[in-house]
Amino acid sequence: MTENPASPAAQTPLLTVRGLKVHFPVWKGMVFRRSVGAVKAVDGIDLDINAGETLGIVGESGCGKSTTGRALIQLIRPTEGSVRYKDQELTTMSEKQLRPLRRDLQMVFQDPYASLNPRMTVGSIISEPIRVHGILSGRQEIQDRVEWLMEVVGLNTRYIRRYPHEFSGGQRQRIGIARALALEPRFIVADEPVSSLDVSVQAQVLNLLMELQERFKLTYLFVAHNLAVVRHISDRVAVMYLGRIVEIAPRDLVYDQPGHPYTIALLSAVPQPNPGERSKQRRVVLEGDVPSPLNPPDGCAFHPRCPFATEECRTQVPHLRELEKGHMVSCHHAEEVQHGGLSGVLSRVSDRC
């Protein structure tokens, strides 16, 4: 794999996303099927992902994080919207037209147990994309590339003829990372790549991803629900709720000066490793359940659970607006939320109770 020339991690949008929607139709009946609506997994998001950065996406399970990642690289075709990669519109391309770009857009899947073919050896798994795309043709060339990739991700080349079931979870995820690197990509969607691993192994895999990014000038979309992991690896963080982005900003602004009540609630739930700090930890317990993406509420999707909700929130959809430079928030009361912080949200919650 040839190392890419240094590119400025400066603000050069590699992917530009506008109005992205992914809706899954829901049908009723076995014989006479009729549509009863659609699950709005992703419901209109705008993103710019800069070359060389890691954009983390966080949120509750089912908020649309993984669907967003798959839609960006066209593993799931969007219902509406635009995804431009280096000024090329991906959503209008046929599979044949997309094929050359597949080399640049790769994915590391969440489950290392399910994403590897159990009937293929490690060597075959890593070499398959090389053969499919015709990057190398000679058997020895391919073998050398596979061995080099195994060394890059920290796997012993003696294991090249072993099968996935002979490896631990962390080793399997390294195989998945090596497979993604085989085509020399520029953009990788990492879909919760450490969520199924032990904590000690999580740190190893995260450090590996960061080393590979530095070495090969990669750009990541890092999907996770663990906010501590996202803070460790991300340059910017986007918070999703019910298919929409409610806040996006540089990492430290999101964690230190959040402007959306949902972000504050998520941060308050992060476990504290220090026993002394745990006793002082104050949690925001949100009322109610997450609304159904089949029938989201009018206005702000978060208003049924929000302690700041007003009539404006119930009737008008808040759009992402700039709270300060680089800090975008989708909330009618963002200034009040940011100024009050955790204490302000807690007092509002107690008032509602």
Side-chain angles (χ1 to χ4, degrees), residues 67-108:
T67 303
T68 298
R70 290 168 185 254
L72 292 192
I73 60 176
Q74 305 301 298
L75 290 184
I76 294 175
R77 289 294 198 161
T79 307
E80 285 183 30
S82 167
V83 180
R84 297 188 67 84
Y85 170 69
K86 295 196 298 186
D87 292 328
Q88 299 179 78
E89 180 58 55
L90 302 184
T91 58
T92 58
M93 289 185 177
S94 66
E95 284 301 321
K96 185 177 181 180
Q97 292 171 320
L98 276 171
R99 185 182 175 89
L101 295 177
R102 294 290 186 198
R103 291 183 55 177
D104 282 3
L105 309 170
Q106 288 293 302
M107 187 162 188
V108 176

Side-chain angles (χ1 to χ4, degrees), residues 16-34:
T16 303
V17 182
R18 293 292 180 267
L20 184 69
K21 295 184 180 182
V22 182
H23 295 176
F24 298 104
V26 177
W27 302 91
K28 186 176 182 179
M30 295 293 290
V31 179
F32 301 103
R33 300 181 73 205
R34 59 187 179 87

Side-chain angles (χ1 to χ4, degrees), residues 41 110 125 172 175 220 232-233 243 274 324:
Q110 175 180 359
I125 289 170
R172 293 185 201 189
I175 296 169
Y220 290 146
H232 179 68
I233 196 172
N274 187 323
E324 53 193 296

Side-chain angles (χ1 to χ4, degrees), residues 1 106-116 121-123 125-127 129 145-157 159-160 162-164 166-183 188 190 192-212 215-216 218 220:
M1 180 172 181
Q106 288 293 302
M107 187 162 188
V108 176
F109 295 91
Q110 175 180 359
D111 188 354
Y113 299 91
S115 61
L116 303 178
T121 64
V122 171
I125 289 170
I126 299 174
S127 67
R145 175 64 65 88
V146 170
E147 291 180 353
W148 180 77
L149 286 165
M150 291 181 70
E151 290 173 354
V152 164
V153 299
L155 290 171
N156 195 313
T157 55
Y159 302 157
I160 194 170
R162 292 190 178 182
Y163 291 86
E166 299 178 81
F167 293 89
S168 67
Q171 289 174 321
R172 293 185 201 189
Q173 197 59 285
R174 289 173 188 265
I175 296 169
I177 293 170
R179 178 177 60 185
L181 289 176
L183 296 178
I188 293 179
E192 304 210 33
V194 298
S195 63
S196 62
L197 307 179
D198 293 340
V199 174
S200 59
V201 180
Q202 286 184 12
Q204 296 172 18
V205 173
L206 286 175
N207 290 334
L208 172 64
L209 289 170
M210 295 170 71
E211 290 167 9
L212 294 173
R215 183 173 181 178
F216 300 118
L218 299 170
Y220 290 146

Side-chain angles (χ1 to χ4, degrees), residues 41-42 57-65 68 240-244 262:
V42 180
I57 294 189
V58 299
E60 294 171 283
S61 296
C63 71
K65 306 184 300 295
T68 298
M240 284 192 73
Y241 182 80
L242 208 64
R244 298 174 182 171
Y262 178 63

